[in-house]
Amino acid sequence: MSENPQVKSILEHIETRERELADQAEQLRTSVEELTRQLGELDAESENLRITRKTLLALPMPPPAAKPERPGIPDHPAYQQILTALTDAGRPMRARDLCQALDLPILPKNTEGIRSKLKRLASRGILVETEPGLFARPEA
């Protein structure tokens, strides 16, 4: 090496800078390897999704599911009269309102009988109870 102090200082600076650059290059190589690994994972997952989509689109469509059978309306004519009155009114009704619509006297035995029938129709899914005591035809 040169005995000149200025040249020696410059050479030391160059060596220091070379070490710094080598360290930075190694860090970047490590980062590139990690990013390459992550990119490979993303590409593999993307390919799996593409294959899944392709497979699902190739499957034949299943036939539409049959609608579950709703229980029938009880045989007593009062049930049909209640349903007709609700349909004619076009709005939810209470047992008392139905007694009036069916020209029944507003007596506890009549309102409780109608309420019982309304509850039975609601339990079978023929009517819905929109709020306690208020019954309506389900919207189709």
Side-chain angles (χ1 to χ4, degrees):
M1 237 167 58
S2 172
E3 296 295 322
N4 184 342
Q6 287 180 326
V7 172
K8 188 175 183 180
S9 174
I10 292 173
L11 290 175
E12 287 174 0
H13 179 72
I14 290 173
E15 285 180 26
T16 302
R17 184 67 182 142
E18 283 177 331
R19 279 193 302 273
E20 289 173 356
L21 292 174
D23 289 345
Q24 288 178 356
E26 185 57 35
Q27 289 174 356
L28 288 175
R29 281 187 194 90
T30 303
S31 294
V32 166
E33 289 171 2
E34 176 61 21
L35 290 173
T36 301
R37 183 192 63 74
Q38 289 177 2
L39 182 60
E41 289 174 1
L42 292 175
D43 286 342
E45 186 176 348
S46 180
E47 180 65 11
N48 288 340
L49 291 172
R50 188 189 66 74
I51 290 169
T52 301
R53 178 187 301 110
K54 184 177 177 181
T55 302
L56 286 174
L57 291 174
L59 291 174
M61 290 296 292
K67 288 186 178 180
E69 297 237 358
R70 293 173 76 181
I73 299 170
D75 288 336
H76 196 278
Y79 290 99
Q80 190 57 51
Q81 292 170 348
I82 290 171
L83 293 174
T84 301
L86 277 168
T87 301
D88 291 346
R91 62 178 173 80
M93 297 179 79
R94 298 189 180 281
R96 179 181 175 92
D97 300 331
L98 279 162
C99 283
Q100 288 176 334
L102 297 173
D103 294 326
L104 295 173
I106 309 296
L107 298 173
K109 70 175 187 170
N110 291 337
T111 56
E112 289 305 314
I114 294 293
R115 183 175 292 111
S116 170
K117 288 173 178 56
L118 289 168
K119 291 281 190 181
R120 185 169 295 121
L121 290 170
S123 72
R124 293 180 175 209
I126 297 168
L127 293 180
V128 292
E129 191 169 6
T130 58
E131 61 182 60
L134 192 61
F135 296 87
R137 301 289 303 250
E139 296 179 22

